[in-house]
Amino acid sequence: MAASTSDSSRSSVRKRHVGSCKTETKSSDSSEEDEEDTGKDTEKGKGLQPLQKGTYWLTRIVLLRSVAFIYFVAFSVAYNQNKQLIGENGLMPCKSYLNSVKRYVGGKIGLAAFTYTPSILWLLDWSDMDANLDGLALLGMALSAFVLVTGMANMVIMVILWVLYHSLVNVGQLLSLGWESQLLETGFLAIFLCPVWTLSQVPRRCPTSLICIWTFRWLIVRIMLGAGLIKIRGDKCWRDLTCMDYHYETQPVPNPMSYYMHRSPWWIHRFETFSNHLIELLFPFFTFLGRRMCMVNGATQILFQVVLIVSGNLSFLNWLTIVPSLACFDDSSLGFLFHSGGEARKAVCEIQNENKAGRNPKPTKGMMMRRVVNISLGVLIGLLSIPVVMNLLSSRQVMNTSFDPLRIVNTYGAFGSITKERTEVIFQGTQSLDPKDPEAVWEEYQFLCKPGDVYRRPCLISPYHYRLDWLMWFAAFQTYEQSEWVIHIAGRLLSNDSAVLSLLDHNPFQGRETPRWVRGEHFRYKFSQPGSSSAAQGKWWLRKRIGAYFPPVDLEGLRGYFQSRNWPHPLIPPNKN
């Protein structure tokens, strides 16, 4: 009967404490006796303990999987778009860029070339640059998918991912946007989360370095302070709390929620702007005020980024900003993400129990070397942070800038200025012989995501993004002289170039003769009013023509323009280029 009672008690404890860890046998026996005395109403037995605070084994797994997810999205974007943008026949061929760098550094591919443009493309055969770009992207997708699925990585894998993405970003030219440096810095820090060779979720002889955890925390502090300070020092609307009256409508690529959030009452917009200042300028300092306050900051930053993700298509920027915020949480706070019977959680429980019992593993030579590496990382980040901190303190603060060629520590910031009106460049083509003919029929091209057709619902693609759509947003508040690549696109459209057309949603001349003329029209766009007659007709947008963005152009007229810029002239058919 005693044995039966003991078995029943043991079964009860196991059912009630699904998320707990086992301690030593002696302690467990004592707990079972206590359970018999106190009955089944006791929810926490003395023989079972939750995950301890202050260790970061599970945090490492969460961080690695998060970084791997962002890498996978980034390499997917590269694989699907790089050939059309920087490939052999791309808008800004990286081969031409590398050749110009080679000439600039003296005509040799040496240390100077690698320093100016760090990329392993220097070492590859340039006869098929498209294959090179695809190969780098596919390898990056494969490695990041492995880390994402398994939760395991070593330094070798993370270094390869970092080098691969560096190699693509550094030849991207105008196509490399602000979040690229943030991913490279995050990816660099992730290298030091891992053992050199071992592939294990919980490598027992390589505990997560507290120094490495703090470098991630330092990153989220700098990201938030940089974003907050650039706003306070920038557009007046951030100081009078009116910026959110415009942001949802004028941001680069709105989504369907942007349409509704733009129409929120004025007092909600004031609250949003004020909350933004608190989250970016006050909460980061909670990181240094102990475990609980650090977690408050981490949770706040994650919630803030989720709101931003819901409110617009800002690429993987907000998803990426969540990553360093995760370092604010230790194993105890992240334990709920791991199944109680999972190998990772069991291994962490065993390690914590061994440490509690004083049975720490004897330091090996490799472990001592690793401590030196971790300290060196802290010193490196500290030294490279000096110009970044000076920039934060400067009244002439610059954002999204790197002070070292490897982009290890960078400055960040976003939306220091808010555009008050949304303008769009719309490409139109005609087969008319005379572009000035009032009877000429001009047909519009549609991009994949940016506003064009007023009846088309705003897209929802985050964390993915279309680089050309983002560039068109910048071009809309510049002139075509400042964004000459717009004319390059027009020339490609005149020849129905398949590479450029693959980056568009609608080609009005599909299956027909190529257009004789292409022009750029400048429009002002506004969201329609929900419940209005326009909205009832299915219009998401209202637009009004501002004027011509660039005049009608034809292939013959562009010949000299293209030659002066060393662009291949798009002949018809394209394969005779």
Side-chain angles (χ1 to χ4, degrees):
M1 179 66 72
S4 175
T5 304
S6 178
D7 291 341
S8 175
S9 176
R10 187 181 296 109
S11 175
S12 174
V13 172
R14 286 174 178 168
K15 290 179 180 178
R16 291 168 180 263
H17 300 280
V18 175
S20 301
C21 310
K22 293 182 180 179
T23 59
E24 300 306 300
T25 304
K26 185 180 296 184
S27 177
S28 179
D29 292 339
S30 173
S31 173
E32 288 174 9
E33 294 175 1
D34 290 338
E35 284 291 317
E36 290 179 1
D37 293 336
T38 59
K40 295 183 179 180
D41 294 333
T42 305
E43 286 295 321
K44 290 187 178 181
K46 297 181 181 178
L48 298 170
Q49 63 175 19
L51 289 166
Q52 297 174 16
K53 303 173 184 177
T55 62
Y56 299 90
W57 301 93
L58 300 181
T59 307
R60 166 166 47 196
I61 298 173
V62 175
L63 283 170
L64 286 175
R65 279 188 157 144
S66 301
V67 174
F69 171 72
I70 305 299
Y71 265 136
F72 184 82
V73 173
F75 282 115
S76 298
V77 172
Y79 178 71
N80 290 315
Q81 301 178 39
N82 271 1
K83 293 187 294 296
Q84 301 92 316
L85 297 172
I86 61 174
E88 293 279 354
N89 298 309
L91 289 175
M92 305 174 193
C94 63
K95 183 190 293 187
S96 300
Y97 173 73
L98 290 172
N99 277 321
S100 66
V101 173
K102 182 180 176 182
R103 290 191 298 270
Y104 178 77
V105 298
K108 295 181 180 180
I109 300 177
L111 181 61
F114 275 94
T115 302
Y116 191 90
T117 304
S119 176
I120 58 176
L121 287 171
W122 290 112
L123 305 175
L124 303 180
D125 181 6
W126 292 1
S127 62
D128 191 351
M129 191 61 79
D130 286 353
N132 293 338
L133 294 173
D134 279 352
L136 297 183
L138 286 172
L139 179 57
M141 289 173 66
L143 290 176
S144 57
F146 171 80
V147 178
L148 176 60
V149 171
T150 66
M152 298 186 295
N154 56 28
M155 276 190 162
V156 175
I157 292 176
M158 299 309 293
V159 166
I160 292 174
L161 285 170
W162 186 69
V163 170
L164 290 174
Y165 201 63
H166 238 306
S167 298
L168 295 175
V169 167
N170 289 328
V171 297
Q173 304 153 78
L174 290 176
L175 298 163
S176 293
L177 301 169
W179 51 77
E180 318 286 8
S181 294
Q182 187 174 330
L183 177 52
L184 287 171
E185 179 172 350
T186 306
F188 178 79
L189 299 180
I191 294 171
F192 298 90
L193 287 170
C194 311
V196 178
W197 300 108
T198 305
L199 276 176
S200 172
Q201 285 191 336
V202 186
R204 289 174 175 266
R205 293 193 174 273
C206 186
T208 311
S209 166
L210 193 57
I211 293 176
C212 190
I213 291 296
W214 271 101
T215 60
F216 277 98
R217 293 174 179 176
W218 176 230
L219 173 57
I220 189 60
V221 168
R222 288 187 289 108
I223 291 172
M224 289 296 107
L225 288 179
L229 290 171
I230 202 72
K231 291 180 176 69
I232 291 296
R233 292 167 174 156
D235 203 313
K236 179 185 176 184
C237 70
W238 287 113
R239 296 187 293 275
D240 61 25
L241 306 183
T242 59
C243 274
M244 299 310 292
D245 293 346
Y246 314 101
H247 168 73
Y248 297 117
E249 184 176 74
T250 63
Q251 64 179 306
V253 186
N255 69 13
M257 283 301 299
S258 310
Y259 176 84
Y260 298 102
M261 296 178 79
H262 176 66
R263 297 300 181 183
S264 299
W266 67 269
W267 57 269
I268 290 184
H269 289 322
R270 301 298 180 274
F271 174 76
E272 290 170 335
T273 312
F274 182 70
S275 298
N276 184 94
H277 293 326
L278 288 179
I279 293 169
E280 292 183 341
L281 293 172
L282 176 63
F283 276 74
F285 292 102
F286 290 5
T287 305
F288 309 103
L289 300 180
R291 177 178 177 270
R292 289 188 178 180
M293 296 302 288
C294 184
M295 289 195 299
V296 168
N297 176 54
T300 302
Q301 301 301 343
I302 291 172
L303 179 61
F304 180 47
Q305 299 306 317
V306 170
V307 171
L308 295 178
I309 290 168
V310 170
S311 69
N313 293 300
L314 295 174
S315 177
F316 53 72
L317 174 61
N318 306 118
W319 301 76
L320 176 60
T321 306
I322 288 175
V323 176
S325 302
L326 296 170
C328 294
F329 303 94
D330 57 15
D331 292 339
S332 178
S333 53
L334 292 179
F336 73 96
L337 296 175
F338 294 82
H339 189 269
S340 59
E343 293 300 321
R345 188 178 178 114
K346 284 182 179 179
V348 172
C349 288
E350 292 175 5
I351 292 171
Q352 290 185 344
N353 290 330
E354 290 174 1
N355 292 341
K356 188 176 181 180
R359 296 200 304 273
N360 297 319
K362 185 178 180 181
T364 63
K365 184 177 180 181
M367 294 173 71
M368 297 303 294
M369 288 295 297
R370 186 53 187 261
R371 291 179 183 176
V372 173
V373 170
N374 292 334
I375 294 172
S376 300
L377 171 67
V379 172
L380 175 65
I381 298 301
L383 291 175
L384 294 179
S385 294
I386 294 175
V388 174
V389 173
M390 296 302 294
N391 177 70
L392 286 174
L393 298 176
S394 172
S395 59
R396 298 182 178 181
Q397 177 192 358
V398 293
M399 63 182 189
N400 300 326
T401 302
S402 301
F403 293 101
D404 62 89
L406 296 180
R407 310 192 198 201
I408 295 174
V409 180
N410 313 289
T411 67
Y412 301 104
F415 297 110
S417 297
I418 294 290
T419 52
K420 308 305 186 295
E421 291 182 335
R422 180 177 201 91
T423 59
E424 294 287 349
V425 177
I426 304 297
F427 286 94
Q428 299 175 342
T430 184
Q431 293 178 338
S432 174
L433 293 174
D434 182 7
K436 297 181 180 179
D437 184 355
E439 301 298 322
V441 177
W442 291 92
E443 301 178 74
E444 295 186 3
Y445 294 86
Q446 298 295 331
F447 282 73
L448 289 166
C449 207
K450 87 175 191 69
D453 181 1
V454 296
Y455 290 95
R456 188 173 70 170
R457 176 181 60 82
C459 65
L460 182 63
I461 57 166
S462 176
Y464 195 82
H465 66 280
Y466 301 111
R467 292 182 182 273
L468 189 56
D469 290 51
W470 272 77
L471 287 182
M472 291 302 300
W473 179 73
F474 290 111
F477 45 83
Q478 298 175 335
T479 64
Y480 76 87
E481 290 91 351
Q482 295 171 304
S483 305
E484 293 182 338
W485 50 268
V486 171
I487 305 300
H488 198 174
I489 293 176
R492 296 294 187 91
L493 295 179
L494 285 165
S495 63
N496 272 351
D497 180 77
S498 59
V500 169
L501 288 173
S502 68
L503 298 173
L504 303 184
D505 181 55
H506 174 64
N507 171 20
F509 301 96
Q510 181 73 37
R512 299 160 52 194
E513 291 185 13
T514 56
R516 288 189 172 92
W517 300 89
V518 167
R519 70 183 183 184
E521 291 288 280
H522 210 184
F523 286 88
R524 182 178 295 109
Y525 274 68
K526 298 185 70 174
F527 278 135
S528 65
Q529 180 73 40
S532 66
S533 59
S534 298
Q537 296 170 15
K539 291 183 179 180
W540 290 82
W541 297 95
L542 303 176
R543 76 179 190 182
K544 182 178 181 181
R545 184 177 182 272
I546 299 173
Y549 185 80
F550 64 85
V553 294
D554 65 352
L555 280 175
E556 187 59 35
L558 287 177
R559 186 180 296 274
Y561 191 90
F562 273 50
Q563 289 176 343
S564 67
R565 287 154 181 80
N566 208 25
W567 295 340
H569 190 263
L571 300 175
I572 304 175
N575 59 6
K576 293 184 179 181
N577 245 344

